[in-house]
Amino acid sequence: MKTMTAIAPLVLSGLLGCQPGSAGAAAEVAASAGEAPAAEARVVDRLPLQPGYYVSTDTPCAKASNASLHVMREDGSGYGGYTTPPYFCRFVRIEQTGPSSYRVTETCESAYGDDEEAPVSVSSYEISSRTSYRAKNGDGWESSSRRCPRRELPALWRESDIGDFVD
């Protein structure tokens, strides 16, 4: 657990420092992924989710672990998690495809900064509220998460100093 205590603030500082790509870069990455925008889809700046800690819906907030918890960035540009190795995912392009449905082109990479180019993937997000969503990527992997207030998380996450990033 001491390793996680040392890594969590480092990962969080990386999350706060990541910058989203330009709109031109987003279109280029989406095109290289072979995704043609649907006629009814419209590009939006961000998913309608509150920033903060999100935990898998099958895990109580008080039992969150590095495997079940991730942080949605305050600026809406992506999220990061604490698995081994920690990771950062940047939203490159977000298209609203329905009232609560979104197609998201994203790149995810290890927080350790290996030299490989981050792979591009496309996921569909169904936003059920400003604090919960379900995502499914092109490989069929699905996840469902909801926001957990910081005060309800285990001590490691409550005590990490990340300023005003989350409540």
Side-chain angles (χ1 to χ4, degrees):
M1 188 57 98
K2 287 185 179 186
T3 301
M4 194 60 213
T5 304
I7 291 175
L10 175 64
V11 170
L12 291 171
S13 67
L15 278 171
L16 296 173
C18 291
Q19 297 299 316
S22 69
E28 184 178 314
V29 171
S32 70
E35 288 296 312
E40 70 278 359
R42 70 180 178 95
V43 175
V44 296
D45 292 333
R46 63 188 306 154
L47 292 173
L49 292 168
Q50 290 181 353
Y53 289 106
Y54 280 75
V55 176
S56 299
T57 55
D58 60 352
T59 302
C61 294
K63 300 285 184 183
S65 69
N66 62 327
S68 63
L69 179 137
H70 60 279
V71 175
M72 283 288 182
R73 289 192 39 153
E74 184 173 29
D75 65 5
S77 65
Y79 60 94
Y82 308 99
T83 57
T84 303
Y87 64 90
F88 301 118
C89 294
R90 184 171 293 116
F91 298 144
V92 177
R93 181 181 177 92
I94 304 171
E95 299 170 277
Q96 186 170 7
T97 57
S100 60
S101 303
Y102 297 82
R103 180 175 40 248
V104 178
T105 303
E106 56 192 17
T107 61
C108 295
E109 57 191 282
S110 163
Y112 296 143
D114 54 29
D115 291 335
E116 294 181 27
E117 188 172 325
V120 174
S121 65
V122 178
S123 299
S124 18
Y125 282 74
E126 187 64 35
I127 310 294
S128 51
S129 73
R130 290 202 26 86
T131 59
S132 65
Y133 70 91
R134 165 167 265 141
K136 182 176 183 178
N137 73 14
D139 294 335
W141 182 82
E142 293 185 46
S143 66
S144 181
S145 299
R146 59 43 181 104
R147 189 174 187 277
C148 285
R150 190 173 182 178
R151 68 185 172 279
E152 294 178 17
L153 296 170
L156 171 62
W157 312 110
R158 286 192 315 265
E159 296 166 5
S160 294
D161 182 15
I162 57 172
D164 295 329
F165 186 63
V166 295
D167 65 358

